[in-house]
Amino acid sequence: KTFNHWFRIGLLNRLEANMIYDLKRKFFNHIIYLDHNFHTTHKTGALISRIKRGSSAIERLTDFIVFNIAPLVLQLALVGSAILFFDLGSAITILITSIVFIAFGLYVSKIQEKAQILANDAEDLEKANISDVFTNIDSIKYFGKEEVINNKYKNLSEDAKNKTVGLWNYHRLFSAGESLILALGTFFAIYFPLLKFLNGELSIGTLVFIYSAFGGMMGPLFGFVHGIRGFFISLGDFQELFDYDKVQNEIKDNPNAKKLKIKTGEIEFKNIWFKYKKGKKAINGL
């Protein structure tokens, strides 16, 4: 068992590290080659935050598959088959409890996805402004704008706090719902086998086995449902990062364009014009 644990964790660590490395390199290389307009219209702090969060999402997804899905499937198959052999009613009760438990977790995780994205956006905006402030701290000091920046950050951090609390409220709903489902399932899982035992239809050994098997199911069930919540959070983190993959350069080389070779340091301005979005042309035909 020790060797298996050592070998499995080692392979998983290597897999996750390589996937995180590939993802970060892919998006870093894509973003670095995007045109100047992209970088002037996107906050540096938000870019860093999304790359970091998207990388962390890979680890959560692989851990969910290895440590939550696989144990639950194996446990359901083994325990369900064993209990089915001894008592059909108990097997059905455990199966229904498991299905309702998982379905509720999927439902809450799905409806919290929008709140997750809102919380992420607020966090990205907060981090982006922190990055801008510290990058341009000299200008802030020169013009004595500390109080203005302080008030701006207060509003941003308060917005991030409120949206995070909104997300956490789903966690409260999640915990209350799963506790109710588990309480009802436990009641029926105890009640029906106990009736059969009192009527002489089950032995004490079978009754103890059913109770022990049901109790053993709780760990994988909780692990799966909490993993599902992390799974949907990871999907939201991925979506925000993958949105950058859709961004393409506005300026593209012509087909079969020759490689540019600059032999002299001359620049020619010809027929230059410029105007603000709301205003007349400031430069016309220079």
Side-chain angles (χ1 to χ4, degrees):
K1 182 177 180 180
T2 302
F3 176 77
N4 175 57
H5 180 76
W6 173 268
F7 186 71
R8 183 182 62 176
I9 296 299
L11 284 178
L12 183 62
N13 289 344
R14 183 176 294 273
L15 173 65
E16 289 178 350
N18 287 332
M19 291 174 68
I20 290 171
Y21 171 79
D22 290 340
L23 183 76
K24 288 192 295 188
R25 287 294 307 277
K26 169 184 169 63
F27 281 97
F28 180 84
N29 289 340
H30 175 68
I31 291 172
I32 200 83
Y33 283 108
L34 289 176
D35 53 44
H36 186 259
N37 181 60
F38 172 84
H39 290 280
T40 56
T41 55
H42 289 77
K43 298 283 190 180
T44 302
L47 292 173
I48 297 172
S49 178
R50 290 189 177 187
I51 291 176
K52 178 64 177 175
R53 202 163 50 230
S55 302
S56 300
I58 287 184
E59 183 180 3
R60 292 197 300 269
L61 284 177
T62 50
D63 285 351
F64 171 62
I65 294 171
V66 174
F67 297 112
N68 299 125
I69 292 182
L72 179 63
V73 171
L74 182 63
Q75 192 90 354
L76 280 174
L78 294 177
V79 173
S81 300
I83 295 179
L84 183 63
F85 177 78
F86 290 108
D87 182 42
L88 176 62
S90 297
I92 292 174
T93 300
I94 292 175
L95 180 62
I96 291 175
T97 301
S98 301
I99 291 174
V100 174
F101 195 82
I102 293 171
F104 177 76
L106 286 169
Y107 171 72
V108 175
S109 297
K110 183 62 179 176
I111 63 174
Q112 79 167 16
E113 191 173 355
K114 183 177 180 180
Q116 175 68 39
I117 292 174
L118 290 174
N120 285 350
D121 288 344
E123 180 188 3
D124 289 345
L125 186 59
E126 181 185 6
K127 289 181 178 179
N129 278 270
I130 291 174
S131 175
D132 285 352
V133 167
F134 292 149
T135 303
N136 299 281
I137 192 65
D138 288 344
S139 298
I140 295 171
K141 293 293 184 180
Y142 292 155
F143 293 95
K145 294 296 183 180
E146 291 91 344
E147 191 64 29
V148 174
I149 295 300
N150 186 35
N151 290 331
K152 183 177 182 181
Y153 178 71
K154 176 184 176 183
N155 294 331
L156 289 171
S157 59
E158 187 173 0
D159 181 57
K161 179 197 72 174
N162 292 335
K163 287 176 179 175
T164 301
V165 171
L167 174 63
W168 289 349
N169 283 335
Y170 284 101
H171 299 177
R172 183 175 59 178
L173 171 64
F174 185 86
S175 298
E178 68 183 9
S179 297
L180 177 61
I181 294 168
L182 189 59
L184 292 173
T186 302
F187 171 78
F188 289 116
I190 293 175
Y191 178 72
F192 291 124
L194 185 60
L195 283 182
K196 288 189 176 183
F197 170 72
L198 294 176
N199 292 330
E201 299 176 30
L202 289 178
S203 66
I204 184 66
T206 301
L207 185 67
V208 171
F209 170 76
I210 291 173
Y211 289 169
S212 300
F214 181 76
M217 285 292 300
M218 293 304 100
L221 273 176
F222 272 104
F224 178 81
V225 174
H226 284 277
I228 278 288
R229 186 170 63 190
F231 173 77
F232 279 100
I233 290 174
S234 299
L235 289 184
D237 293 343
F238 272 135
Q239 182 60 45
E240 292 176 327
L241 182 58
F242 288 161
D243 284 342
Y244 289 138
D245 204 30
K246 302 174 185 176
V247 180
Q248 301 297 323
N249 281 320
E250 296 178 0
I251 302 173
K252 297 182 180 179
D253 291 336
N254 291 325
N256 303 318
K258 295 181 180 180
K259 189 173 182 180
L260 180 64
K261 293 182 179 179
I262 302 176
K263 296 180 179 179
T264 60
E266 297 177 358
I267 301 175
E268 180 183 358
F269 292 93
K270 187 176 181 180
N271 194 26
I272 306 299
W273 66 271
F274 171 80
K275 80 179 193 69
Y276 294 98
K277 289 183 178 180
K278 296 180 181 180
K280 297 180 180 181
K281 288 182 180 180
I283 301 175
N284 188 12
L286 174 64

